Amino acid sequence: MAQTILVVDDDADVLHLCVQTLTRQGFTVLEAPGSAEAMQICSTHIGMIHLALVDAMLDPAVFQLRSEKRSNIRVPGHILARGLIEKRKALRVIMMSASSKADLKKNGIEVGDIPFLKKPFSREKLLATIRQELERRRFRVAS
């Protein structure tokens, strides 16, 4: 059974590259161009989501009015990561950004001990980081 990865990035080119690369490697890929879409997928997807690859610098929080009584809220990637983990306790997360961890921290974005992938990255680096985190998850669950 293929492992499922949720990719969240507001840069359409990066999203496409990640989806294409992961699909070719046999992963089932769910894609979201923002935090609201990612939370919707996380809430409604039936089945396991093994890992989320999240852009740390998603568009800043804005309200999007819907025809329903409540609105969707967009949040930065590091807050989204926490929300995804709250919904799915076994989910592993990898953060990615063109900014360094130090620059993110200066902007109030704390990545902490979440695995981090610096953009731009190669397909090989993307796959190696994801495989390493999925393996770590497997051993963590097994212990």
Side-chain angles (χ1 to χ4, degrees):
M1 184 170 89
Q3 291 175 308
T4 300
I5 299 175
L6 172 61
V7 180
V8 188
D9 201 313
D10 53 4
D11 181 325
D13 292 333
V14 174
L15 187 62
H16 178 74
L17 170 76
C18 292
V19 169
Q20 183 182 49
T21 300
L22 295 170
T23 301
R24 286 182 179 164
Q25 291 297 311
F27 293 101
T28 299
V29 182
L30 308 171
E31 58 185 291
S35 56
E37 297 87 350
M39 287 303 290
Q40 179 70 25
I41 290 168
C42 192
S43 297
T44 60
H45 178 74
I46 297 172
M48 181 86 169
I49 299 176
H50 298 87
L51 185 137
L53 179 63
V54 178
D55 180 16
M57 298 290 288
L58 291 171
D59 284 336
V62 295
F63 287 94
Q64 292 183 322
L65 298 177
R66 294 182 6 190
S67 59
E68 300 173 8
K69 291 183 181 180
R70 55 185 253 234
S71 61
N72 285 334
I73 301 173
R74 290 194 179 277
V75 297
H78 67 296
I79 295 172
L80 171 63
R82 282 184 256 160
L84 294 173
I85 292 168
E86 283 178 21
K87 286 209 173 286
R88 294 187 179 245
K89 303 292 185 214
L91 181 70
R92 302 298 299 172
V93 175
I94 297 172
M95 299 295 294
M96 59 180 166
S97 179
S99 299
S100 68
K101 277 185 163 185
D103 287 341
L104 290 172
K105 190 171 185 173
K106 287 177 192 173
N107 289 310
I109 298 173
E110 185 62 53
V111 176
D113 63 351
I114 295 174
F116 183 76
L117 191 56
K118 175 86 169 73
K119 296 178 188 176
F121 47 78
S122 66
R123 287 180 168 90
E124 294 78 17
K125 180 68 175 169
L126 170 66
L127 292 169
T129 303
I130 287 174
R131 287 189 177 121
Q132 181 180 16
E133 190 59 21
L134 289 171
E135 279 296 308
R136 192 174 91 144
R137 179 189 174 278
R138 187 168 59 111
F139 291 126
R140 189 170 155 199
V141 170
S143 52

